């Protein structure tokens, strides 16, 4: 802009203040691009407009453009930013820099790709709560008086009252959003109505405008994001350690960006190893090396018989147990069923499907190449006992089994074959599996 030195922008004073008080964590702002918006472009580049999110969610409120927004890579300053005191400017820049460092914009887009409908305002409020709590102990910057914090948000929605550091260690933005988004299903093309939790989140967010712009991130291929996630995680760890007691961060909690392997890929790899058809030993035919040496070693002494292998191999079999007690929603059941179908077809495996809750409700068997699982629906009976379900699956002599459940129930029978517990995201780390391995379905 006219009158500014090269590389100077509206946030320069705030960045200087951050680096002065917390050289390492404040210096995270130097890894971010900074752009001044022309006054006439502020509304079109502000939250909602040009982003597509305000109209998509049906909750646009017509706010004035905020003084600072981010698209996950760049901080964009409106003209109103310059009128703020420097402590408030530092609070805004630190807030936006943490949105970038924690990859909140990219994670919003990734979550939308996984589950479809994501309310940007609700997600933005959840992300703001984590960031504001992280910055809450910093004396040299100032957050808005009505800033949403994690402790306020969880107390208002879930009646949870804990120390902020413990809350940061337990909640990441995806888990927080999916726990609080209880909006009702769409009706006749109308926007989804808020449930009690979503309504409280929206009320706490109040007139705070959306400062996460997803338009740019939605058009970017996701392949390179895993590398950027790793880079930002390393920068956060190094910066926090470098500043020590002067760190801008309260702690490095659960929301630290991590590269997440899709659950479908994890499940695919584990099942493929167990379902791969392997040649079996054949005692009716010798091995090629035994034949080549005519059954004798170099000294001419007779060697023990060495069996060969045969191509007549047993077809691998997969057991799938679906807990339909009411703890797993229909959308998750549908995604799980489609993925299991694809795995069984690729592995050319037979499949036994056991459906139940506290008892076996139905058993279906499928031959290789003919796996077409029925649509599963929640029965809603409320109780689960894995013992009869595992015993029914064991009767089919599977090579491996997968149990889709929330782990809420006893398992008094432990089969000899490997068991994978496929559990929803909110259950992982809360309830321990009785045995076997756990795959988290997000």
């Amino acid at each position: 802009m006219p009158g500014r030195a090269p590389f100077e922008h509206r946030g320069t004073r705030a960045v200087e203040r951050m680096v002065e008080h917390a050289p390492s964590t404040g210096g995270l702002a130097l890894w971010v691009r900074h752009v001044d918006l022309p006054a006439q472009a502020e509304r079109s580049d502000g939250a909602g407009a040009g982003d597509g999110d305000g109209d998509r969610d049906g909750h646009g409120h017509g706010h004035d453009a905020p003084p600072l927004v981010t698209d996950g890579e760049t901080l964009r300053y409106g003209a109103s930013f310059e009128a703020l005191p420097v402590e408030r400017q530092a609070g805004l820049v630190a807030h936006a820099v943490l949105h970038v460092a924690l990859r909140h914009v990219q994670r919003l887009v990734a979550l939308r790709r996984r589950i479809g409908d994501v309310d940007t305002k609700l997600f933005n409020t959840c992300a703001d709560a984590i960031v504001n709590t992280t910055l809450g102990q910093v004396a040299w910057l100032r957050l808005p008086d009505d800033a949403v914090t994690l402790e306020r948000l969880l107390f208002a929605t879930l009646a949870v009252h804990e120390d902020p550091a413990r809350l940061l260690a337990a909640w990441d933005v995806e888990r927080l959003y999916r726990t609080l988004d209880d909006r009702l299903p769409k009706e006749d093309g109308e926007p989804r109505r808020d449930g009690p939790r979503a309504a409280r989140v929206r009320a706490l967010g109040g007139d705070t405008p959306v400062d996460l712009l997803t338009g740019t991130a939605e058009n970017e291929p996701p392949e390179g994001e895993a590398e950027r996630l790793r880079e930002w995680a390393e920068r956060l760890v190094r910066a926090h350690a470098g500043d020590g007691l002067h760190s801008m961060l309260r702690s490095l909690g659960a929301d630290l960006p991590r590269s997440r392997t899709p659950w479908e890929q994890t499940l695919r790899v584990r099942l493929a190893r167990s379902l791969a058809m392997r040649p079996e030993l054949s005692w009716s035919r010798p091995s090629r090396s035994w034949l080549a040496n005519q059954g004798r070693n170099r000294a001419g002494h007779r060697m023990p018989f060495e069996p060969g292998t045969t191509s007549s191999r047993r077809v691998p079999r997969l057991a799938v147990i679906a807990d339909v007690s009411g703890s797993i929603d229909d959308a998750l059941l549908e995604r799980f069923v489609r993925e299991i179908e694809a795995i069984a077809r690729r592995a050319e495996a037979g499949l036994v499907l056991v459906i139940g809750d506290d008892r076996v409700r139905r058993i279906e068997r499928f031959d290789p190449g003919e796996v077409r699982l029925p649509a599963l629906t929640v029965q809603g009976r409320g109780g689960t006992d894995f013992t009869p379900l595992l015993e029914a699956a064991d009767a089919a002599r599977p090579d491996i089994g997968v149990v889709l459940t929330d782990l809420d129930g006893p398992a008094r029978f432990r089969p000899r074959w490997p068991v994978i517990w496929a559990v929803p995201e909110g259950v992982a780390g809360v309830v321990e599996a009785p045995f076997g391995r756990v795959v988290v379905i997000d």
Side-chain angles (χ1 to χ4, degrees):
M1 295 182 65
R4 294 193 184 276
F7 311 113
E8 196 173 68
H9 49 80
R10 289 173 179 146
T12 299
R13 282 200 309 156
V15 174
E16 289 173 347
R17 185 178 181 85
M18 292 167 61
V19 174
E20 176 186 355
H21 287 84
S24 296
T25 48
L28 292 171
L30 303 177
W31 292 95
V32 181
R33 292 193 295 269
H34 302 260
V35 173
D36 289 340
L37 294 175
Q40 66 271 21
E42 287 181 39
R43 181 166 295 277
S44 62
D45 283 40
D51 187 28
D53 294 331
D55 293 338
R56 174 181 299 185
D57 300 327
H59 295 288
H61 296 290
H63 297 305
D64 292 333
L68 179 59
V69 294
T70 179
D71 62 3
E73 301 291 344
T74 304
L75 270 56
R76 304 179 184 277
Y77 299 89
S80 60
F81 181 89
E82 291 186 291
L84 299 172
V86 67
E87 296 87 357
R88 182 74 181 90
Q89 290 183 352
L92 280 172
V93 175
H95 179 100
V97 166
L98 285 189
H99 276 321
V100 175
L102 296 171
R103 314 306 290 161
H104 282 157
V105 171
Q106 289 78 8
R107 289 161 68 181
L108 190 163
V109 172
L111 184 63
R112 182 172 287 153
R113 287 170 177 162
R114 287 203 304 270
I115 67 174
D117 181 23
V118 175
D119 186 297
T120 305
K121 177 63 176 177
L122 296 183
F123 186 97
N124 205 140
T125 303
C126 292
D128 284 347
I130 290 174
V131 169
N132 290 336
T133 298
T134 301
L135 296 173
Q137 89 290 357
V138 182
W140 46 265
L141 57 77
R142 184 159 60 88
L143 298 173
D145 295 335
D146 60 348
V148 179
T149 60
L150 192 54
E151 53 269 34
R152 282 184 60 203
L153 187 64
L154 289 175
F155 184 76
T157 56
L158 303 178
V160 171
H161 183 67
E162 288 190 36
D163 178 73
R166 295 189 64 180
L167 294 177
L168 287 172
W171 293 89
D172 61 60
V173 69
E174 289 89 355
R175 181 189 172 199
L176 184 62
Y177 172 82
R178 296 180 77 162
T179 301
L180 301 183
D181 181 15
D182 62 349
R183 291 173 298 148
L184 304 177
K186 287 186 177 181
E187 295 181 0
D188 301 325
E190 294 295 321
R192 294 174 62 180
R193 290 183 296 154
D194 288 342
R197 293 178 182 175
R200 293 189 188 106
V201 175
R202 210 178 298 280
L204 277 177
D207 292 331
T208 304
V210 172
D211 62 350
L212 300 179
L213 307 181
T214 62
T216 302
E218 285 178 339
N219 299 323
E220 292 179 355
E223 291 79 10
E225 180 55 24
E227 180 64 20
R228 288 190 284 273
L229 274 171
R230 183 189 62 79
E231 290 174 350
W232 274 107
E234 290 178 355
R235 288 169 188 163
L236 282 165
V237 171
R238 289 197 303 266
H240 188 51
D243 278 344
L245 295 177
H246 300 285
S247 175
M248 190 174 70
L249 311 176
R250 183 187 296 270
S251 63
L252 294 175
D255 205 45
L256 185 71
R258 296 175 179 87
S259 180
R260 294 170 170 83
T261 302
W263 67 268
E264 294 93 340
Q265 181 177 340
T266 303
L267 187 62
R268 219 172 289 151
V269 170
R270 290 184 177 177
L271 290 182
R273 290 172 180 168
S274 296
L275 297 176
M277 292 189 291
R278 301 177 179 86
E280 297 179 349
L281 290 178
S282 174
W283 291 94
S284 62
R285 55 191 299 181
S287 69
R288 292 183 179 181
S289 61
W290 194 91
L291 284 175
N293 292 295
Q294 298 180 349
R296 297 180 182 275
N297 60 18
R298 290 183 179 180
H301 300 298
R302 184 175 295 277
M303 295 188 299
F305 180 78
E306 184 179 336
T309 57
T310 178
S311 58
S312 57
R313 300 166 290 183
R314 185 179 69 84
V315 175
R317 184 167 292 276
L318 168 65
V320 175
I321 298 174
D323 172 9
V324 292
S325 63
S327 53
I328 306 295
D329 62 56
D330 289 340
L332 190 58
L333 281 170
E334 176 66 18
R335 291 175 60 207
F336 176 77
V337 163
R338 299 287 79 81
E339 182 60 29
I340 289 294
E341 271 190 357
I343 291 172
R345 285 198 296 269
R346 283 194 295 269
E348 298 181 0
L351 186 144
V352 57
L353 173 65
V354 179
I355 303 172
D357 36 47
D358 59 345
R359 69 193 69 179
V360 176
R361 303 291 175 180
R362 196 165 90 217
I363 298 178
E364 296 195 25
R365 292 177 173 83
F366 302 89
D367 293 327
E370 298 179 0
V371 177
R372 293 290 185 276
L373 300 184
L376 302 180
T377 56
V378 174
Q379 305 298 317
R381 294 184 175 87
T384 304
D385 186 347
F386 300 111
T387 307
L389 309 183
L390 290 166
E391 289 174 341
D394 187 62
R397 300 177 61 193
D399 295 278
I400 190 170
V402 182
V403 185
L404 176 66
T405 180
D406 66 349
L407 293 174
D408 186 14
R412 294 179 293 274
F413 172 74
R414 180 170 183 169
R416 295 184 177 182
W417 33 272
V419 176
I420 296 176
W421 304 86
V423 302
E425 192 172 24
V427 174
V430 178
V431 182
E432 295 293 330
F435 47 80
R437 294 188 173 185
V438 173
V439 170
V440 180
I441 301 180
D442 53 14

